[in-house]
Amino acid sequence: MSDCLELMRIGLLLLLSICLAAAKPNIIFVIADDLGYGDLGCYGQKTIQTPVLDKLAGAGIRFTQHYSGSTVCAPSRSALVTGLDTGRTWLRGNGEHELRRDPDDLTVATLLKRAGYRTAMIGKSCVSGNTQNPQRVLDKGFDLFYGTTDHKDGHHRYPRFVYDQTQRVELAGNDLHRGKFYDAELYTLRAERVIHESDGPFFMLLSYPIPHASMLGPEGSVPGDLGGKPETGRLTKVENPAKHYQAMVEALDAYMGRLLAALEEKGVARDTLILFTSDNGSHFEGGYSPEMLNSSGPLRGGKRDLYEGGIRVPMIAHWPAGITKPGNSDHPSAFWDFMPTVCEIAGLEAPADIQGLSYLPTLTGVGEQRVHDFLYWEFHELDTRRALRQGDWKLVQYDMAHQGKPMLFNLVRDLGETNNLADEEPERLQAMLKLAEAHRTSSPIFPNKFLDHDRK
């Protein structure tokens, strides 16, 4: 009987691989900037209205234990496109750095191009930090780029320019704080165009810069005016940051509705995998804090924290042709799992040296879902922080520059990470500390004496 079941399982896997190879679904990965775990209605939000995303979650898979690559922008996105966690990926912090030229830092876009996909990155660059080098986006596997490469440019809703491929396009009248061209609207228009002009399978990485500061909802979405005179070069000041934050999240939801409409008009909605998530937890910038709208939900902390509120993020998967049993998934997954997942979809062999594990079985219900032995993060700001999750247990260590003591939490019993069990579980704590130190590698561009001490 067991042999028959195994043969049936192999047969189903073979059938799935044949179907996927024949269809090669379109793939759209939408990444919001600083959207909190609790900011969507389907994740418990009561004030912000997100009907489109809630409907997508109801018809797809809502992940309840999905993690971003890091607690800030550049390293989180680096983990996403390389399949490596922040103990291994090239970009481990923000700053004037970018992914290296091929063959170093192989990206998911390069791999999908090999499988016949047309690839596009729209919005905030996911291969660089504070740099002005649009050619690097194209060098890393993207056929099309429309957006900003310097993350500081993504702080403003009315940027003075964007790049179209490598051409700098001036946005006349924009002065960072006001203008005619709202950045997220521009990116939605270009995404709609990519969908309508598609001929064959495409992969689009749509990297929205909202609801990150500056705190400005689209024009007409918030009653009232700016509080005080905005200053060039600084984040826009508003009297009601929570209302603007709400307006930006609700705008994201409306933009998702437009993408769905474009897919329906093109006739490819059924065969398109949409993944929607955030690059880290909600922020404390532009006068906003997560407490204002319960953006972190039941989780502790927010952006720049390695508590759950800084790295556990919403993740919704919608794919009518592939997801046959919609529902919730508590499978612990992370940004570095995206690469092997889409490699499996595209019939590619994922790189052997990545930390990612495909979550395709969770999406389709076919095959056995592999589970991570552990998940690891390190953060080089704020006197160095690190975290490791293993099963139900979470190691968190702050202030390593001053010998900050490690903390240990049981996430099943204590999702809010309020009860430190380090003294009660000393053996478990030491084993997880050793695992963290053994896992990571030293970084030539992000040296850290508090993390590298054991490698001297």
Side-chain angles (χ1 to χ4, degrees), residues 241-380:
K243 287 186 179 180
H244 280 274
Y245 187 95
Q246 177 179 349
M248 286 192 281
V249 177
E250 291 181 353
L252 270 176
D253 191 72
Y255 293 144
M256 292 301 298
R258 285 169 53 178
L259 293 180
L260 286 170
L263 291 168
E264 290 286 355
E265 290 170 9
K266 185 68 175 178
V268 296
R270 177 172 173 77
D271 296 316
T272 299
L273 168 62
I274 300 174
L275 295 166
F276 178 91
T277 189
S278 175
D279 63 348
N280 46 249
S282 185
H283 62 74
F284 300 83
E285 299 172 45
Y288 185 75
S289 65
E291 293 79 12
M292 290 180 175
L293 292 170
N294 196 31
S295 286
S296 296
L299 310 180
R300 179 178 179 179
K303 182 178 181 178
R304 289 187 169 80
D305 279 311
L306 289 180
Y307 298 117
E308 294 290 283
I311 53 176
R312 189 185 290 210
V313 290
M315 217 271 276
I316 297 167
H318 183 264
W319 182 17
I323 297 172
T324 58
K325 293 183 178 179
N328 299 329
S329 172
D330 61 1
H331 168 62
S333 55
F335 268 25
W336 45 93
D337 295 332
F338 176 61
M339 176 184 278
T341 300
V342 296
C343 280
E344 189 171 1
I345 288 173
L348 296 168
E349 191 75 27
D353 59 348
I354 62 174
Q355 280 75 63
L357 298 176
S358 170
Y359 47 72
L360 186 60
T362 294
L363 297 180
T364 62
V366 177
E368 183 177 353
Q369 178 61 65
R370 295 176 61 197
V371 179
H372 287 280
D373 294 332
F374 62 90
L375 300 168
Y376 174 82
W377 301 264
E378 62 186 45
F379 185 50
H380 293 229

Side-chain angles (χ1 to χ4, degrees), residues 164-448:
D164 190 343
Q165 300 295 77
T166 59
Q167 182 71 34
R168 176 169 163 147
V169 178
E170 303 295 332
L171 301 174
N174 278 18
D175 69 354
L176 304 182
H177 312 286
R178 294 178 185 240
K180 180 180 178 182
F181 304 100
Y182 190 79
D183 57 355
E185 172 69 19
L186 289 175
Y187 301 149
T188 303
L189 288 168
R190 181 52 63 93
E192 290 172 317
R193 180 174 157 187
V194 168
I195 293 169
H196 286 302
E197 294 178 353
S198 64
D199 182 16
F202 67 86
F203 163 53
M204 178 163 55
L205 179 47
L206 179 52
S207 179
Y208 280 114
I210 56 175
H212 185 30
S214 288
M215 303 300 299
L216 281 177
E219 186 177 350
S221 63
V222 179
D225 202 352
L226 300 177
K229 183 180 179 181
E231 300 177 32
T232 300
R234 299 181 62 181
L235 298 180
T236 311
K237 296 178 181 179
V238 293
E239 292 178 344
N240 46 6
K243 287 186 179 180
H244 280 274
Y245 187 95
Q246 177 179 349
M248 286 192 281
V249 177
E250 291 181 353
L252 270 176
D253 191 72
Y255 293 144
M256 292 301 298
R258 285 169 53 178
L259 293 180
L260 286 170
L263 291 168
E264 290 286 355
E265 290 170 9
K266 185 68 175 178
V268 296
R270 177 172 173 77
D271 296 316
T272 299
L273 168 62
I274 300 174
L275 295 166
F276 178 91
T277 189
S278 175
D279 63 348
N280 46 249
S282 185
H283 62 74
F284 300 83
E285 299 172 45
Y288 185 75
S289 65
E291 293 79 12
M292 290 180 175
L293 292 170
N294 196 31
S295 286
S296 296
L299 310 180
R300 179 178 179 179
K303 182 178 181 178
R304 289 187 169 80
D305 279 311
L306 289 180
Y307 298 117
E308 294 290 283
I311 53 176
R312 189 185 290 210
V313 290
M315 217 271 276
I316 297 167
H318 183 264
W319 182 17
I323 297 172
T324 58
K325 293 183 178 179
N328 299 329
S329 172
D330 61 1
H331 168 62
S333 55
F335 268 25
W336 45 93
D337 295 332
F338 176 61
M339 176 184 278
T341 300
V342 296
C343 280
E344 189 171 1
I345 288 173
L348 296 168
E349 191 75 27
D353 59 348
I354 62 174
Q355 280 75 63
L357 298 176
S358 170
Y359 47 72
L360 186 60
T362 294
L363 297 180
T364 62
V366 177
E368 183 177 353
Q369 178 61 65
R370 295 176 61 197
V371 179
H372 287 280
D373 294 332
F374 62 90
L375 300 168
Y376 174 82
W377 301 264
E378 62 186 45
F379 185 50
H380 293 229
E381 297 178 27
L382 301 172
D383 294 322
T384 304
R385 298 173 172 181
R386 66 177 170 184
L388 184 143
R389 175 172 175 176
Q390 187 176 41
D392 298 339
W393 294 88
K394 173 92 172 288
L395 163 73
V396 180
Q397 189 171 14
Y398 275 27
D399 198 22
M400 294 182 67
H402 302 97
Q403 299 181 330
K405 292 184 178 180
M407 298 168 281
L408 187 65
F409 304 101
N410 186 293
L411 296 178
V412 172
R413 301 197 298 262
D414 179 27
L415 183 59
E417 296 171 291
T418 60
N419 185 20
N420 180 10
L421 301 175
D423 291 339
E424 299 177 27
E425 296 275 352
E427 292 183 4
R428 185 185 303 274
L429 177 68
Q430 290 304 313
M432 292 179 72
L433 283 169
K434 289 180 180 178
L435 183 58
E437 292 186 354
H439 169 69
R440 69 177 304 275
T441 59
S442 299
S443 168
I445 60 171
F446 288 96
N448 187 298

Side-chain angles (χ1 to χ4, degrees), residues 8-55:
M8 289 175 61
R9 186 187 71 83
I10 294 172
L12 285 171
L13 286 173
L14 181 60
L15 179 62
L16 177 66
S17 65
I18 292 172
C19 292
L20 291 176
K24 282 192 179 174
N26 303 310
I27 301 165
I28 301 177
F29 193 98
V30 182
I31 180 170
D33 199 331
D34 294 6
L35 180 79
Y37 184 81
D39 276 332
L40 307 180
C42 53
Y43 283 85
Q45 176 60 226
K46 302 302 182 184
T47 302
I48 304 171
Q49 302 299 305
T50 57
V52 175
L53 287 163
D54 297 345
K55 186 176 180 179

Side-chain angles (χ1 to χ4, degrees), residues 118-122 141-145 194 202-206:
R118 180 160 176 78
T119 59
M121 182 188 293
I122 299 172
F142 291 94
D143 297 309
L144 180 149
F145 174 56
V194 168
F202 67 86
F203 163 53
M204 178 163 55
L205 179 47
L206 179 52

Side-chain angles (χ1 to χ4, degrees), residues 85-111:
D85 66 30
T86 46
R88 302 290 181 91
T89 199
W90 182 251
L91 299 181
R92 302 192 193 182
N94 290 335
E96 297 179 358
H97 305 285
E98 57 192 7
L99 294 183
R100 296 166 292 181
R101 289 182 178 274
D102 288 350
D104 295 316
D105 306 323
L106 187 66
T107 72
V108 64
T110 296
L111 292 173

